[in-house]
Amino acid sequence: MSRPHDGQRPFFPFGNPFRLIIRKGSYLSPELLTLMNSFEENTAERLMKLKQNHETYGLSFSWMRLAMESVCETHVDVKTLITDLQFPVSDWDEKWVDMYLDNSVKLLDICIAFSSELSRLNQGLLLLQYIAHVLDFSKGFPSAEQLVQAHSALHDWLHQISSRNPKLQNLLNSLRGLSVSHVEDKVKNSPKGKVLVRALYGVKIKTLFVCRVFTAAFFGSANNLEDLPMSGKFLWIDPLNELQAYVNEEIKTLFSSGSTTVFKEFVKVQDHVKHLYSATAGTIPVEIEVLQKGVSAMAESAKALAQGTDTLSELVESFFEIVLTGRDALLCNLRVSDLLEESNSEEQQVMT
């Protein structure tokens, strides 16, 4: 369910705006230039911060959390910019609105797919909690039956994480739809409109980049991780190009080396589970100390992974709400505009 309308709008996906924005001879007042530069500077700073955090955390749930937070913050910046521009919805081109409504649905689908995958990972963590309960050394050394139960559950977890979530297939189509969307007709002769298009294009590109990284991580493959083609005079373009090149190269290197995941927290859990799986095999003698340390390490790493998935799930849900409330707000504003137009038309008819 959506929250009460607060006028918040998600990004407005445009394809290639360079034919649409600020041509030679276009004039922007000092106030509009300040608003435009402030938005682009904030976007550039957040992208540079993401690169610095990536150097610290690497590809991990911690970094993905920061990336999603950064996207949400940029969407808030767009909301603030729209408010500062005082650009009424009645001045939005009809095709802008149609494209926004279409692409907002794609964004909602992407959020649903991300949430589904994070939920699937959390369900697997419940299985690891069950294993830790079965191999609880506080109650003494596990029986042969308990070792068999744990071994079977470990096998189920390894099988589960190697399977593909069918809902992820929709991600690729949604991302492609966002990437190729474009507006062919020109922006109205409005300096405010041109500033808005620049900002909306910037938040679109940043959001697409983060969503593509998420998709590659959840798919366990870099096959669909393409660099976003970018050019033009934007203050954020160099930081985003640098971040994209840095992150995409690391993902491709990890997968080419045989890794099945890019998340550091997940790799730790996977390694501990594989170790326990071997240790609980019936043909291998079980050493108490080895098994006890293995269970403890698995439980600890699973706890860290659970914290990462829970936080990321909350941020994806927040982004979903941003998109949904923005869509609701726009539709509400459009209905109000239509009612005002109808009222004005009726008044004119009465006067004539």
Side-chain angles (χ1 to χ4, degrees):
M1 295 179 64
S2 63
R3 294 182 294 218
H5 303 308
D6 60 0
Q8 194 170 354
R9 297 179 177 86
F11 81 80
F12 197 169
F14 293 96
N16 183 355
F18 303 115
R19 289 172 293 177
L20 309 182
I21 56 177
I22 308 180
R23 296 174 177 80
K24 287 184 177 180
S26 296
Y27 171 78
L28 292 181
S29 67
E31 292 78 9
L32 289 180
L33 280 174
T34 298
L35 289 174
M36 183 183 75
N37 289 335
S38 177
F39 172 83
E40 294 193 9
E41 287 170 0
N42 286 337
T43 303
E45 288 175 3
R46 290 196 173 101
L47 289 167
M48 288 187 286
K49 186 177 179 180
L50 270 184
K51 185 175 183 295
Q52 293 168 356
N53 286 325
H54 184 272
E55 293 170 349
T56 300
Y57 295 103
L59 286 166
S60 62
F61 277 103
S62 297
W63 185 82
M64 299 295 274
R65 171 180 60 80
L66 295 171
M68 182 56 71
E69 282 180 348
S70 184
V71 168
C72 291
E73 288 169 352
T74 303
H75 282 251
V76 172
D77 285 349
V78 170
K79 172 193 169 184
T80 302
L81 178 64
I82 292 174
T83 301
D84 292 340
L85 285 174
Q86 298 180 348
F87 195 61
V89 70
S90 58
D91 286 354
W92 289 35
D93 190 278
E94 184 177 348
K95 286 193 175 182
W96 295 12
V97 176
D98 291 341
M99 183 167 292
Y100 161 71
L101 294 175
D102 178 63
N103 283 280
S104 64
V105 171
K106 291 184 176 67
L107 274 180
L108 293 174
D109 288 341
I110 289 171
C111 289
I112 290 171
F114 286 162
S115 295
S116 173
E117 180 62 11
L118 289 168
S119 177
R120 190 176 77 95
L121 292 176
N122 279 330
Q123 289 175 1
L125 292 174
L126 292 176
L127 187 58
L128 297 186
Q129 290 179 9
Y130 164 75
I131 295 168
H133 173 73
V134 170
L135 301 178
D136 185 1
F137 278 82
S138 66
K139 301 177 182 179
F141 189 81
S143 65
E145 181 180 357
Q146 288 173 318
L147 290 175
V148 171
Q149 291 175 348
H151 186 76
S152 176
L154 289 164
H155 176 272
D156 291 343
W157 187 85
L158 290 170
H159 175 73
Q160 179 182 337
I161 64 165
S162 64
S163 61
R164 178 67 55 80
N165 184 347
K167 289 189 177 181
L168 290 181
Q169 291 299 130
N170 298 328
L171 274 177
L172 298 179
N173 292 333
S174 296
L175 286 173
R176 291 191 187 104
L178 289 173
S179 299
V180 301
S181 62
H182 63 282
V183 175
E184 293 180 353
D185 56 327
K186 298 179 181 180
V187 172
K188 290 182 178 181
N189 187 23
S190 165
K192 290 183 178 181
K194 293 171 183 177
V195 172
L196 180 61
V197 171
R198 283 182 69 96
L200 295 175
Y201 179 73
V203 75
K204 171 206 170 178
I205 291 295
K206 180 178 178 179
T207 305
L208 272 176
F209 163 70
V210 172
C211 286
R212 284 188 174 195
V213 172
F214 273 50
T215 302
F218 290 145
F219 260 92
S221 169
N223 292 339
N224 297 291
L225 190 65
E226 302 173 353
D227 290 345
L228 291 166
M230 293 176 286
S231 60
K233 295 181 179 180
F234 297 90
L235 299 178
W236 48 261
I237 199 163
D238 287 339
L240 185 51
N241 270 323
E242 291 176 8
L243 178 63
Q244 176 178 249
Y246 192 76
V247 174
N248 288 1
E249 181 61 29
E250 183 173 353
I251 292 176
K252 292 175 182 178
T253 300
L254 284 170
F255 288 140
S256 64
S257 64
S259 177
T260 58
T261 180
V262 300
F263 298 122
K264 290 183 176 181
E265 299 94 335
F266 198 86
V267 170
K268 288 183 179 180
V269 173
Q270 192 174 31
D271 289 344
H272 291 312
V273 168
K274 289 180 178 179
H275 174 74
L276 271 181
Y277 183 70
S278 299
T280 55
T283 57
I284 300 177
V286 179
E287 297 181 10
I288 296 178
E289 186 177 352
V290 171
L291 185 60
Q292 188 172 8
K293 287 184 177 179
V295 173
S296 178
M298 182 201 70
E300 184 178 349
S301 61
K303 182 179 180 180
L305 179 59
Q307 292 174 345
T309 55
D310 287 345
T311 303
L312 192 53
S313 294
E314 291 174 0
L315 285 167
V316 171
E317 182 179 351
S318 296
F319 184 59
F320 182 92
E321 290 294 328
I322 288 174
V323 177
L324 190 59
T325 54
R327 179 185 175 89
D328 289 348
L330 179 60
L331 289 172
C332 181
N333 288 335
L334 288 172
R335 286 193 291 269
V336 171
S337 296
D338 290 341
L339 289 173
L340 289 175
E341 289 181 4
E342 291 177 4
S343 177
N344 291 335
S345 177
E346 290 175 357
E347 288 180 1
Q348 290 177 359
Q349 291 177 2
V350 170
M351 292 176 64
T352 57

